[in-house]
Amino acid sequence: MQQDEFWESSYVEKQTMWGFEPSDSAIAAKDFFKKEKIRDILIPGIGYGRNAKIFLDNGIHVDGIEISKTAIDLAKIHNRNIPIYYGSVTDMPFDGKIYDGIYCHALIHLLNKRERKKFIKDCYTQLRPGGWMIFSTISKNDSMYGKGKPLSKNRFLMTSGAKLFFYDAESVRREFGAYGLADFSEIDEPVKFSKNSPPLKFTVVKCQKHF
């Protein structure tokens, strides 16, 4: 089963399992985008839109990309006005539109090395000069690190079937350094749909496109 097919079949079963509260990194990204006067963003891997609403509610236009038809249908129900490109982020760009900002949550760590490199470059290409892109991704300091079958350095096949790449400072600098890396930090990302679950260790990466 291909990675995209795995997530499609899982999504049909889980539907809105993550609830409708935005991630903490999305809340922080909203505050940062407002400060930077960013009005138009792209969300690759938008899912059913749980992280989109907070941007929409703050006057920021959102476009999305999503591989799951089920997720797109749910997004239309809960956030009717979001234009969403149907397809994989590995097929970016879908058009020549340029954005003020890009926000991507819990997606890039699902990609292999070649796909990550292309994805970061494609996101950077779709930023206007001076624009910002923010990625939140699983950290090497998360408790899941090292569990599952090793696939390559810092990448594992988990028992769920997901293939996860765990970022550390070295890999952040290596992969984002040529694309306006401005800052990165580790956060505790609560699992809001399950109050008894420990928070995930995530790394938030900010990049600004050079003028």
Side-chain angles (χ1 to χ4, degrees):
M1 179 181 289
Q2 296 297 313
Q3 187 82 335
D4 290 341
E5 292 173 347
F6 166 80
W7 286 111
E8 174 68 23
S9 62
S10 296
Y11 202 98
V12 171
E13 295 176 6
K14 296 177 181 177
Q15 305 226 348
T16 58
M17 65 162 286
W18 292 98
F20 292 95
E21 289 187 70
S23 65
D24 279 13
S25 65
I27 296 170
K30 176 266 297 180
D31 292 339
F32 181 80
F33 284 161
K34 285 185 69 177
K35 180 174 69 73
E36 295 295 322
K37 297 181 170 53
I38 286 173
R39 309 296 296 177
D40 187 24
I41 70 169
L42 175 66
I43 302 182
I46 195 169
Y48 56 86
R50 78 176 181 103
N51 283 323
K53 189 174 186 299
I54 193 168
F55 298 108
L56 296 169
D57 289 347
N58 283 271
I60 299 173
H61 174 82
V62 174
D63 287 351
I65 300 172
E66 179 54 47
I67 188 64
S68 167
K69 291 180 178 178
T70 304
I72 292 174
D73 289 342
L74 289 168
K76 288 177 180 177
I77 293 171
H78 298 290
N79 298 285
R80 297 178 185 276
N81 297 321
I82 302 178
I84 300 177
Y85 298 100
Y86 169 60
S88 172
V89 298
T90 59
D91 294 328
M92 288 176 67
F94 289 89
D95 64 18
K97 185 173 179 179
I98 302 299
Y99 295 88
D100 297 335
I102 292 173
Y103 171 72
C104 181
H105 175 67
L107 184 150
I108 193 170
H109 54 240
L110 299 173
L111 307 178
N112 63 36
K113 182 178 181 180
R114 176 186 56 80
E115 291 167 338
R116 294 194 307 272
K117 181 177 180 180
K118 179 181 184 298
F119 180 50
I120 296 167
K121 181 179 179 181
D122 288 341
C123 287
Y124 191 78
T125 298
Q126 289 201 255
L127 277 181
R128 67 166 174 80
W132 288 87
M133 56 186 188
I134 299 176
F135 299 82
S136 60
T137 183
I138 197 75
S139 167
K140 188 176 177 179
N141 291 322
D142 189 81
S143 61
M144 289 189 291
Y145 178 78
K147 297 178 180 178
K149 178 183 176 182
L151 298 174
S152 58
K153 183 178 180 181
N154 294 341
R155 190 167 186 249
F156 300 88
L157 174 62
M158 314 304 288
T159 55
S160 64
K163 299 174 183 177
L164 300 185
F165 178 78
F166 294 80
Y167 274 92
D168 56 15
E170 178 187 356
S171 54
V172 168
R173 293 189 182 100
R174 181 179 65 247
E175 296 193 0
F176 293 91
Y179 298 99
L181 178 62
D183 179 56
F184 64 95
S185 58
E186 188 169 289
I187 66 167
D188 287 339
E189 185 68 79
V191 182
K192 296 183 178 181
F193 74 93
S194 177
K195 302 302 182 183
N196 296 323
S197 297
L200 300 170
K201 294 288 186 182
F202 266 50
T203 297
V204 177
V205 181
K206 292 180 183 175
C207 298
Q208 185 178 32
K209 189 166 187 175
H210 304 305
F211 287 91

